[in-house]
Structure formats: structure tokens, C-alpha cells
């Protein structure tokens, strides 16, 4: 029943919460769960004191190949697609930096993905170690799948690209526009930025080189020293928080 429901729903419905059909990607996991249970009947591990579970499974593969064309075909497809996914997941970032995968793409605007991601890690590690967790930080809310902030930051953010799963789109878009203006234009002083930071209770902003605000960094740095900076990232106190830091 579960497998049938999954097949019917994924054949005729799609999700529209974000720009991709997330339901079409993840909904099939329930169907895979059913197939995973069924496929255990094909595996009868050879029991021996010296055999590991994985080793026993590999010993049964010849027997599965003899069960018929359908089982053989499904096994080959399963092994090939699993290997493809594992290789693609582990090598795609490296292929980007080698200029094999092409850019710009969802991961990087250029072939410096590794350096930029490491710089992001250093910036968020600095915030966690030196500033603490009792503040509100903010990066560019227009960034989609900003991996450094998700992987390396443990602090609270006013808004992120994943916020739209928990609130209405109108509220999300309003906050995104209200905060995003900080990162999407040039500033000659901190007045406008500080006003927005105070309005949304933001204490620290994280700027990277893909933000338009990065072009104003030299001017802003003369008026307020960054808390941290490297080749691709800069961290500044803003709003009322800047008065004490």
C-alpha cells in the first residue's frame, strides 16, 4: 500500500514550496524503504565465524544473478547508480575548482569553491569562539543554500533561505527584502546599515565577496574596523552592538 501510494502521488503531484520539486526528490524515500525490505529476501548471508556482514552479502551476489533477468537488471542498476551518486557527491566540488563541471552554478560563481568555503568556515568559527552564541548574526538572505553558514555557524540568524519552510511566503519575502538591501547595494557610511540592524535586532553581519556590499568594504573599514576579515569574508558589528564592540 505504501509503495502504491508513493507511486501514485509522485506521478501526479508536485511540491511548490521552493523552486524545485522537493517532494518529487524526497517522497520516493518511502518507496525505497519498502523495496529495501523486500530485497532482503534475495540476500541469504553465508554464516561463518570469519565472515563479516558485508563479506557475506558479496558472497550471495552470484546467486542473485542466477535468479533471473529482472533481479539481475535491478541489481546492476542499483549498484551503478549508487556508485554514481557516491562519486558525484564527493568529486563535484573538486570538479568545479578544476573547471570541469562549469560555473557559475549553485555551488560557486568561480573556480575558488574550496578556498571560499574554507574562508567561510574560518569566519563562522571566529564568531562562535570569540563572540559567542548570544547574538544574532546575518548573512545575505538572498543567498540560496549558503553552505558555510549552515555547516559552520551555530549562532542565531534573523533570517535565512531555509526560513521559508516555517513561515508564510509573504513574511519571508518582506524580511528578505528588508534585510537584503544591506548586502545588495553600496554604502558610504554605516548609518543606513545600523538602522536596519537595529530594526531586525541584528548584532553582526557577515559579508562575502559575492555580495555587492563587498565593494564598499574599503570605505566602511575606515569608519569601523572589522571584527574579522580574510580573502573572501568580513565580519562586522552593526547597530547598537557596534557601540560596545
Amino acid at each position: 500500500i505504501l509503495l502504491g501510494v508513493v507511486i501514485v502521488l509522485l506521478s501526479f503531484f508536485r511540491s511548490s514550496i521552493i523552486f524545485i520539486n522537493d517532494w518529487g526528490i524526497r517522497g520516493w524515500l518511502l518507496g525505497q524503504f519498502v523495496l529495501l525490505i523486500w530485497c532482503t529476501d534475495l540476500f541469504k548471508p553465508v554464516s561463518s565465524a570469519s565472515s563479516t556482514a558485508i563479506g557475506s552479502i558479496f558472497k550471495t551476489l552470484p546467486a542473485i544473478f542466477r535468479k533471473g533477468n529482472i533481479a539481475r537488471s535491478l541489481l546492476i542498476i542499483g549498484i551503478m547508480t549508487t556508485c554514481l551518486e557516491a562519486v558525484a557527491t564527493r568529486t563535484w566540488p573538486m570538479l568545479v575548482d578544476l573547471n570541469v563541471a562549469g560555473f557559475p552554478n549553485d555551488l560557486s560563481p568561480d573556480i575558488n569553491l574550496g578556498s571560499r568555503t574554507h574562508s567561510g568556515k574560518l569566519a563562522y568559527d571566529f564568531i562562535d569562539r570569540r563572540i559567542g552564541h548570544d547574538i544574532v548574526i546575518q548573512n545575505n538572505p538572498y543567498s540560496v543554500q549558503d553552505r558555510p553558514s549552515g555547516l559552520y555557524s551555530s549562532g542565531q540568524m534573523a533570517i535565512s533561505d531555509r526560513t521559508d519552510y516555517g513561515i508564510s511566503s509573504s513574511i519571508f519575502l518582506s524580511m528578505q527584502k528588508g534585510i537584503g538591501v544591506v548586502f545588495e547595494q553600496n554604502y558610504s557610511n554605516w548609518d543606513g546599515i545600523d538602522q536596519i540592524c537595529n530594526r531586525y535586532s541584528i548584532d553582526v553581519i557577515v559579508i562575502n565577496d559575492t555580495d555587492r556590499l563587498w565593494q564598499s568594504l574599503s570605505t566602511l573599514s575606515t569608519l569601523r574596523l572589522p571584527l574579522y576579515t580574510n580573502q573572501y569574508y568580513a565580519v562586522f558589528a552593526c547597530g547598537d552592538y557596534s557601540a560596545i564592540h
Side-chain angles (χ1 to χ4, degrees):
I1 292 175
L2 178 59
L3 180 61
V5 169
V6 168
I7 292 174
V8 171
L9 289 182
L10 267 66
S11 297
F12 298 101
F13 296 92
R14 60 164 293 153
S15 62
S16 58
I17 297 178
I18 57 177
F19 64 95
I20 62 173
N21 180 17
D22 205 43
W23 161 242
I25 297 173
R26 310 188 193 283
W28 184 245
L29 291 173
L30 297 173
Q32 288 179 315
F33 175 69
V34 175
L35 297 179
L36 185 65
I37 295 176
W38 286 353
C39 81
T40 57
D41 291 336
L42 297 176
F43 291 90
K44 296 180 180 178
V46 178
S47 60
S48 96
S50 60
S51 295
T52 63
I54 296 179
S56 298
I57 290 176
F58 277 107
K59 291 179 180 179
T60 64
L61 291 180
I64 296 175
F65 270 91
R66 291 193 296 269
K67 286 183 178 293
N69 292 332
I70 295 179
R72 186 161 45 246
S73 300
L74 292 176
L75 183 62
I76 293 174
I77 293 172
I79 292 175
M80 292 180 62
T81 53
T82 299
C83 292
L84 173 63
E85 183 70 17
V87 172
T89 300
R90 296 301 180 185
T91 62
W92 186 263
M94 291 181 282
L95 294 177
V96 170
D97 280 0
L98 291 173
N99 198 14
V100 174
F103 66 91
N105 52 56
D106 289 341
L107 282 178
S108 179
D110 52 32
I111 56 174
N112 298 311
L113 174 60
S115 299
R116 182 176 284 104
T117 302
H118 183 249
S119 295
K121 179 184 186 302
L122 295 177
Y124 286 109
D125 282 350
F126 173 86
I127 295 174
D128 287 345
R129 293 195 320 267
R130 301 290 296 275
I131 303 178
H133 305 289
D134 56 344
I135 61 167
V136 177
I137 63 178
Q138 186 59 57
N139 66 341
N140 190 342
Y142 285 110
S143 299
V144 178
Q145 293 184 348
D146 184 69
R147 290 167 175 82
S149 65
L151 289 172
Y152 307 119
S153 174
S154 56
Q156 178 184 351
M157 283 189 171
I159 188 174
S160 74
D161 65 306
R162 290 294 175 268
T163 309
D164 57 354
Y165 279 102
I167 62 176
S168 68
S169 59
S170 60
I171 295 176
F172 173 80
L173 293 174
S174 175
M175 289 189 65
Q176 185 185 54
K177 182 178 179 180
I179 296 175
V181 67
V182 169
F183 301 88
E184 295 299 309
Q185 66 183 41
N186 297 321
Y187 286 85
S188 59
N189 58 65
W190 284 94
D191 294 343
I193 299 175
D194 287 338
Q195 290 177 7
I196 294 174
C197 286
N198 287 332
R199 185 184 309 159
Y200 292 96
S201 301
I202 299 170
D203 301 309
V204 171
I205 58 172
V206 180
I207 312 168
N208 69 41
D209 70 307
T210 61
D211 301 327
R212 188 175 180 183
L213 182 60
W214 184 266
Q215 301 172 12
S216 304
L217 205 61
S218 58
T219 301
L220 296 176
S221 296
T222 60
L223 302 174
R224 181 178 302 168
L225 292 177
L227 300 175
Y228 175 84
T229 184
N230 60 38
Q231 183 179 1
Y232 295 104
Y233 278 79
V235 179
F236 286 90
C238 70
D240 293 338
Y241 191 75
S242 64
I244 58 177
H245 288 78

